[in-house]
Amino acid sequence: MPVEQITEFAELRREARRWLAETEIPTVPLELEERFNVLRRWQRTLFDAGWMGLGWSREAGGRGLTARHQQVFSEELARAHAPAPIGLIGLDVVGPSIHRYGSPEQRTRLLPPLLAGEDIWCQGFSEPSAGSDLASLRTRALRDGDKYVVNGQKVWTSWGNQASWCALLCRTDPDAEPKHAGISYLIADMSSPGITVRPLVQMTGDAEFCEVFFDNVEVPVGNLVGKENDGWRIALDTLSQERGNYAMRRQVEIGWGVEKTIDGLRGTSPESATNSRISTAIGESHVALRVLDAQIRRTVQRLIDEEGPHPLDSIDKLVLNDAEQVVGRALADLLGPFRLDAESQPLGLNAAQLIHDHYFSRAASIYGGTSQIQRNIVAERLLGLPRS
Ligand SMILES: Cc1cc2nc3c(=O)[nH]c(=O)nc-3n(C[C@H](O)[C@H](O)[C@H](O)COP(=O)(O)OP(=O)(O)OC[C@H]3O[C@@H](n4cnc5c(N)ncnc54)[C@H](O)[C@@H]3O)c2cc1C
């Protein structure tokens, strides 16, 4: 049966397995630019074969199925040791909010190229003095006829240097009280005159997140998502995606990293089975991944039920954070003293990759809202504890 017509889970799984077995799975280089290009091509291959946007509507370029169908395919990607596509901010964080709150015109114009990997998206929320306290953001958008004129600065904008579009939170009513009542959700074309992007180098050595400056940047009114001054509701939806939906995707990627490492050990290290450092690392990684898996199964059901933002998203984020950091450290520990030498290959392991992934895992307790903030949300909204 053509993949476009499959709706039943077991059939979808079988077809995914068959397709992945026949398809050349790309090797992912460590170097950022090469990695980006390889994964972007991979996204295009997945899109052309009908595997992208399984849970999105057909007008958005998707298949009109559910989040569970998408998860089934993601599980098969991990099983085949195949990487996730590149456009994760678009696919899992911003795109679902445009899908839910955008106009029909915005959905048909913006979402198909997002799924195909033709357009990369970034998320312009954080500012130098507005991270955890996002509602205090200062970037201004002033209405002038059929456009907004934007001035201000965003920071930590992942993939800002590669993005064609930015989901941009701006203040459109400076006098509104409370502060979040004066915020709008715009979509800015990153090639607009007046936008300057400066990549920032992280401890991983990558520079995929950026400072973005807006100097009298014009954004057509047609690129307002939802209503003016009603952007906070949509921003909360995007943050909820970043905590729930994104956790689903990262589960696959982390699992993929663990399996790849185990494969490498199998191939080159006969003493693996008896080495306690190795069994500890693999054991800890598997436990963390199983906990994440159990949590994600609940998340998928919430996504299918389209419940929208929920404090449980914060639990997803905390569990994801633990999995990222436990696995990142456990695999880096495999290197023993070689952890100080990124050029080394002890036990046939790729030290550069493991060190890189370990460093990146440290960011998990910051991006998408810090762990302290998630715990505050759990304490106040789930446990009913008083605000401190
Ligand atoms: C890898 C990475 C990628 C990112 N990508 C993006 C992106 O694409 N787009 C984007 O908009 N942002 C992005 N961010 C930014 C991220 O969302 C912010 O870093 C985060 O929200 C924290 O904000 P802040 O850095 O301003 O820290 P602050 O808000 O200044 O917090 C500093 C410290 O104080 C603690 N703290 C603050 N308030 C409280 C409180 N009320 N109770 C207890 N503790 C508190 C925090 O937990 C933290 O430890 C990214 C960050 C990282 C690390």
Side-chain angles (χ1 to χ4, degrees):
M1 191 189 294
V3 69
E4 297 76 36
Q5 289 169 23
I6 301 174
T7 56
E8 203 253 320
F9 293 128
E11 179 69 20
L12 188 83
R13 197 180 284 287
R14 265 195 304 279
E15 179 54 23
R17 255 177 225 189
R18 193 197 59 72
W19 183 82
L20 284 161
E22 286 176 358
T23 302
E24 190 181 339
I25 307 291
T27 306
V28 184
L30 188 56
E31 199 278 317
L32 184 67
E33 191 73 23
E34 289 173 34
R35 189 179 350 137
F36 178 83
N37 291 330
V38 165
L39 292 178
R40 192 176 199 171
R41 279 198 296 276
W42 177 233
Q43 181 162 336
R44 182 75 215 198
T45 305
L46 295 172
F47 178 78
D48 288 343
W51 295 116
M52 296 298 299
L54 296 184
W56 287 14
S57 62
R58 288 186 184 266
E59 62 170 340
R63 292 269 308 283
L65 300 173
T66 67
R68 179 66 193 137
H69 290 87
Q70 189 66 61
Q71 177 66 0
V72 165
F73 182 67
S74 295
E75 285 166 8
E76 290 308 316
L77 275 183
R79 190 175 172 280
H81 298 190
I86 186 67
L88 293 186
I89 301 266
L91 291 168
D92 292 336
V93 180
V94 174
S97 295
I98 311 275
H99 194 255
R100 182 174 287 168
Y101 294 99
S103 65
E105 185 277 326
Q106 287 169 345
R107 282 198 286 273
T108 42
R109 172 166 58 101
L110 297 168
L111 297 183
L114 181 160
L115 284 179
E118 280 162 27
D119 285 347
I120 300 297
W121 282 64
C122 63
Q123 177 191 5
F125 282 22
S126 306
E127 298 184 2
S129 51
S132 303
D133 183 15
L134 187 57
S136 62
L137 63 87
R138 292 201 212 145
T139 295
R140 287 287 307 274
L142 274 181
R143 177 89 183 245
D144 178 12
D146 58 358
K147 59 183 185 292
Y148 289 96
V149 179
V150 178
N151 282 286
Q153 185 199 340
K154 298 290 171 179
V155 73
W156 319 130
T157 314
S158 300
W159 304 108
N161 50 345
Q162 300 281 4
S164 325
W165 295 102
C166 178
L168 184 64
L169 285 189
C170 293
R171 188 159 297 288
T172 34
D173 180 354
D175 302 321
E177 281 297 335
K179 288 178 292 188
H180 61 250
I183 290 173
S184 298
Y185 197 114
L186 301 180
I187 301 168
D189 180 340
M190 289 296 283
S191 63
S192 310
I195 295 186
T196 308
V197 179
R198 282 203 214 133
L200 298 165
V201 180
Q202 300 153 238
M203 69 197 279
T204 53
D206 292 341
E208 95 274 10
F209 71 18
C210 308
E211 294 177 298
V212 184
F213 299 87
F214 295 83
D215 183 11
N216 288 322
V217 174
E218 296 185 359
V219 176
V221 168
N223 283 7
L224 170 71
V225 184
K227 296 202 180 86
E228 191 173 283
N229 296 324
D230 193 25
W232 187 248
R233 201 163 53 98
I234 308 168
L236 290 184
D237 183 75
T238 301
L239 290 171
S240 143
Q241 304 293 343
E242 191 167 6
R243 290 166 194 169
N245 209 1
Y246 180 77
M248 216 163 84
R249 177 83 64 178
R250 276 302 291 163
Q251 176 201 13
V252 172
E253 290 184 318
I254 304 167
W256 175 64
V258 172
E259 292 305 326
K260 242 182 10 176
T261 307
I262 295 174
D263 275 357
L265 287 168
R266 264 197 206 106
T268 52
S269 170
E271 79 267 31
S272 308
T274 53
N275 181 323
S276 71
R277 195 164 73 220
I278 295 177
S279 48
T280 304
I282 294 175
E284 285 180 352
S285 300
H286 272 281
V287 171
L289 281 168
R290 289 299 291 272
V291 174
L292 181 60
D293 183 57
Q295 181 66 24
I296 294 301
R297 280 170 198 275
R298 295 179 49 173
T299 310
V300 172
Q301 193 53 51
R302 285 209 317 282
L303 291 172
I304 292 171
D305 297 341
E306 297 239 358
E307 279 179 12
H310 193 283
L312 283 172
D313 299 327
S314 294
I315 302 214
D316 289 335
K317 179 70 191 351
L318 287 166
V319 174
L320 172 66
N321 171 35
D322 280 355
E324 292 265 14
Q325 296 188 347
V326 167
V327 172
R329 185 190 40 72
L331 297 188
D333 279 352
L334 284 171
L335 299 169
F338 290 96
R339 201 160 137 174
L340 298 174
D341 179 8
E343 304 294 314
S344 63
Q345 301 213 320
L347 302 170
L349 295 165
N350 181 342
Q353 179 79 55
L354 294 179
I355 294 168
H356 173 278
D357 293 353
H358 172 50
Y359 286 167
F360 185 73
S361 76
R362 305 313 303 164
S365 45
I366 304 175
Y367 63 68
T370 67
S371 290
Q372 289 80 8
I373 296 298
Q374 305 317 307
R375 288 197 193 94
N376 284 352
I377 294 172
V378 171
E380 288 164 19
R381 301 202 206 143
L382 285 176
L383 303 177
L385 297 175
R387 289 177 81 89
S388 55

